[in-house]
């Protein structure tokens, strides 16, 4: 009996060995297959090795942007191989992606994404194979000077670049003709396979759809963080948000979730003003219709019940003392410059310079303003007011997001129905029409477009 059990054990061990050998044989076969780069292999099928794995991605190369078949290159020991599930193109990338000037190197656009970890380099500690990860636009390494000062929104890794002579982020794939392909900002996103350094990856343990979770990589999390991570909207406070796009609507939702007394949305695009009200704005203003009276209008909305001092002072409507009027407690400028002529209502100042000044000027003395939208022009402020009015200017780099701290929190808020991610997705795409997703983002005909890759 004992020997029977022994032989059973031996058998089962042999069976294990046999299946192991079969598995090894399988891997060997797949390895051999990988060297000949199997064609049209779906991204869900693991090859047993990552190198040479074929997948498709949207690539900006030469003078065009189209879907290409790619072969994965070897990864860095700190990189993670991610099967992309969903990605939302950011407005920041549209000019580079849709431009027609010849570019120096081929690139998969975008700087965020979401997917499942399929492999990890030998030095990776943060994530495991099988994890669902948000790939954030901002790294949090926890070890650099900035992270150690408590500012992971300025993690030095995020600001690595592939400047001439420096190649912080190596190419991750090659096209059929051997052209090396980089991921924009070391992240990319609009491809069936992404590789990212682990410092950008935030594992999330949630059953929420990938299309919603991917919004936490950039636009929605950035906008929400504006009211939560660096500036802290106070319950009952007055909040004004310039720009009701994918980022501004995140800030508007933060106003709602944080219990702001009122949330003033400002956007020239009619459908976005209506959307802003659905997302929590208490009023939506058209900056074109308001013209030069916009700042006064915001101040008027923020004035107290009367002119007594505790309600904000006695200076209402008197130009000489207008800056003493209360203004909003918190202002977010999330309009940004106009990168492409939009197919909807154009913004009053395409450079965004005036909007930045208006945002600053709408802020009460001692209040807080975050400048998130970019302008490429110099912006000037009256020096005395800049010095004396005590308005704190917060930088808008991902809204002050601490990726590893905040993204898991925002996942919970979506799960509890506090943050509405689903409504923010106004159009869905496949990889085949992902170029259109970038175009629609540039045209501002959508709030957020999500490309679903699986
Ligand atoms: Zn972005
Ligand atoms: Zn860091």
């Amino acid at each position: 009996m004992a020997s029977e059990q022994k032989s059973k054990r031996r058998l089962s061990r042999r069976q294990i060995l046999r299946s192991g050998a079969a598995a090894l044989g399988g891997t060997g076969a797949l390895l051999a297959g990988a060297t000949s780069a199997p064609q049209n292999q779906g991204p869900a099928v693991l090859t047993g090795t990552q190198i040479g794995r074929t997948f498709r991605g949207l690539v900006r190369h030469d003078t065009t942007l189209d879907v290409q078949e790619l072969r994965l290159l070897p990864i860095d020991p700190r990189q993670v191989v991610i099967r992309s599930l969903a990605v939302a193109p950011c407005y920041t990338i549209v000019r580079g992606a849709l431009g027609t000037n010849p570019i120096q190197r081929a690139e998969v656009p975008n700087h965020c994404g979401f997917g499942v970890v399929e492999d990890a380099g030998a030095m990776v500690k943060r994530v495991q194979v099988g994890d669902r990860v948000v790939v954030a636009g901002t790294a949090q390494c926890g070890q650099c000077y900035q992270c150690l000062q408590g500012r992971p929104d300025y993690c030095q890794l995020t600001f690595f670049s592939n400047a001439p002579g420096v190649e912080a982020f190596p190419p991750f794939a090659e096209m059929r003709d051997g052209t090396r392909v980089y991921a924009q900002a070391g992240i990319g996103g609009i491809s069936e396979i992404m590789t990212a350094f682990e410092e950008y990856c935030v594992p999330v343990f949630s059953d929420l759809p990938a299309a919603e979770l991917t919004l936490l990589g950039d636009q929605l999390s950035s906008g929400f963080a504006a009211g939560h991570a660096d500036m802290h909207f106070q319950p009952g406070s007055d909040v004004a948000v310039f720009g009701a796009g994918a980022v501004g609507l995140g800030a508007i939702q933060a106003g709602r979730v944080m219990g702001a007394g009122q949330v003033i949305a400002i956007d020239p695009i009619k459908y976005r003003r209506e959307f802003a009200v659905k997302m929590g704005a208490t009023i939506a203003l058209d900056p074109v219709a308001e013209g030069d009276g916009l700042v006064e209008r915001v101040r008027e909305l923020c004035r107290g019940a009367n002119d007594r001092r505790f309600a904000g002072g006695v200076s209402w409507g008197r130009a000489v003392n207008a800056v003493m009027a209360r203004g909003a407690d918190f202002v977010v400028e999330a309009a940004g410059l106009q990168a492409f002529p939009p197919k909807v209502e154009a913004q009053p100042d395409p450079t965004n310079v005036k909007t930045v000044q208006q945002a600053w000027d709408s802020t009460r003395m001692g209040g807080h303003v975050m400048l998130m939208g970019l302008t490429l022009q110099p912006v000037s402020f009256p020096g005395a007011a800049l010095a004396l009015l005590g308005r704190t200017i917060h930088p808008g780099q991902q809204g002050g997001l601490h990726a590893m701290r905040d993204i898991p929190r925002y996942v919970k808020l979506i799960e509890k129905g506090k943050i509405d991610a689903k409504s923010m997705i106004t159009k869905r795409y496949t990889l085949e029409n992902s170029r259109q997703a970038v175009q629609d983002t540039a045209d501002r005909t959508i709030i957020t477009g999500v490309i679903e890759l699986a």
Side-chain angles (χ1 to χ4, degrees):
M1 201 136 142
S3 70
E4 226 179 84
Q5 274 181 349
K6 217 175 182 181
S7 81
K8 261 186 191 165
R9 262 207 304 276
R10 231 188 346 257
L11 261 178
S12 62
R13 212 177 280 144
R14 196 174 292 162
Q15 279 170 338
I16 291 164
L17 279 169
R18 201 177 292 151
S19 60
L24 278 171
T27 307
L30 287 163
L31 273 166
T35 51
S36 61
Q39 304 296 307
N40 302 321
Q41 176 195 300
V45 182
L46 281 170
T47 58
T49 180
Q50 299 294 340
I51 303 165
R53 182 179 184 180
T54 59
F55 62 101
R56 294 169 306 149
L58 187 67
V59 182
R60 172 79 169 88
H61 62 104
D62 299 329
T63 58
T64 191
L65 174 73
D66 57 16
V67 175
Q68 291 282 326
E69 186 178 294
L70 303 171
R71 273 169 59 97
L72 196 63
L73 293 172
I75 59 168
D76 184 276
R78 290 186 301 112
Q79 272 185 319
V80 177
V81 178
I82 298 153
R83 175 163 49 88
S84 298
L85 296 177
V87 58
C90 177
Y91 188 79
T92 314
I93 62 119
V94 299
R95 185 178 273 177
L98 295 168
T100 52
N101 57 315
I103 58 165
Q104 284 185 328
R105 56 175 212 193
E107 188 173 81
V108 170
N110 219 35
H111 46 238
C112 59
F114 181 81
V116 178
V117 173
E118 291 203 335
D119 206 350
M123 291 170 70
V124 170
K125 291 180 182 155
R126 185 181 293 183
V127 302
Q128 298 176 4
V129 171
D131 282 351
R132 299 175 92 210
V133 290
V134 173
V135 184
T138 301
Q140 183 170 354
C141 78
Q143 295 174 337
C144 72
Y145 187 82
Q146 295 290 351
C147 281
L148 294 172
Q149 304 306 313
R151 291 309 299 258
D153 48 335
Y154 284 91
C155 175
Q156 287 166 229
L157 195 64
T158 309
F159 293 86
F160 274 9
S161 71
N162 285 321
V166 183
E167 197 171 83
F169 302 110
F172 82 113
E174 60 185 16
M175 300 201 301
R176 272 182 164 172
D177 65 2
T179 303
R180 297 275 156 140
V181 178
Y182 293 76
Q184 186 171 15
I187 300 169
I190 311 179
S191 55
E192 290 173 323
I193 299 295
M194 295 176 75
T195 63
F197 282 83
E198 66 169 330
E199 291 86 349
Y200 290 88
C201 298
V202 181
V204 293
F205 304 96
S206 167
D207 295 330
L208 285 170
E212 295 181 33
L213 290 170
T214 199
L215 305 189
L216 297 181
D218 187 5
Q219 301 95 319
L220 178 57
S221 61
S222 301
F224 196 88
H228 155 264
D230 188 12
M231 290 202 297
H232 304 280
F233 290 170
Q234 300 288 317
S237 61
D238 294 313
V239 171
V241 180
F242 286 72
V247 175
L249 286 161
I252 288 165
Q253 291 211 41
R256 189 193 71 234
V257 173
M258 305 288 277
Q262 67 171 337
V263 181
I264 303 162
I266 299 140
D267 199 292
I269 303 168
K270 185 166 181 281
Y271 87 87
R272 291 191 171 186
R273 290 198 299 277
E274 291 165 359
F275 201 90
V277 171
K278 282 186 197 144
M279 290 294 107
T282 50
I283 186 170
L285 304 178
D286 177 358
V288 178
E290 300 294 335
D292 288 339
L294 178 62
V295 172
E296 270 311 309
R297 183 76 196 283
V298 173
R299 287 180 183 154
E300 190 64 27
L301 286 163
C302 297
R303 68 183 292 178
N306 51 49
D307 286 347
R308 291 160 69 184
R309 267 190 294 176
F310 58 74
V314 294
S315 309
W316 301 107
R318 295 177 202 168
V320 65
N321 281 325
V323 292
M324 288 177 66
R326 209 168 73 188
D329 299 304
F330 300 97
V331 178
V332 177
E333 188 285 300
L337 59 82
Q338 188 175 293
F340 249 71
K343 290 211 172 122
V344 289
E345 299 91 326
Q347 62 199 81
D349 175 12
T351 69
N352 205 42
V353 169
K354 194 171 177 186
T355 310
V356 170
Q357 289 166 328
Q358 287 172 326
W360 179 79
D361 218 15
S362 302
T363 311
R364 72 161 163 86
M365 291 189 291
H368 297 261
V369 55
M370 178 173 279
L371 305 178
M372 300 190 79
L374 299 183
T375 174
L376 300 176
Q377 308 294 325
V379 183
S380 66
F381 298 100
L386 191 63
L388 297 176
L389 294 186
R391 293 165 175 153
T392 303
I393 298 177
H394 297 255
Q397 155 38 30
Q398 264 216 289
L401 182 83
H402 292 200
M404 285 294 279
R405 178 195 68 187
D406 295 334
I407 288 175
R409 288 179 177 172
Y410 299 168
V411 169
K412 283 186 213 164
L413 290 173
I414 298 174
E415 284 176 337
K416 292 190 178 305
K418 303 269 188 196
I419 295 179
D420 182 353
K422 193 176 176 187
S423 299
M424 299 283 280
I425 306 163
T426 54
K427 200 165 177 187
R428 294 177 192 244
Y429 305 81
T430 60
L431 183 62
E432 281 67 32
N433 60 10
S434 55
R435 190 187 195 287
Q436 190 60 43
V438 179
Q439 185 68 56
D440 291 347
T441 304
D443 291 343
R444 290 180 164 157
T445 52
I446 53 172
I447 300 290
T448 312
V450 169
I451 302 158
E452 294 178 296
L453 295 124

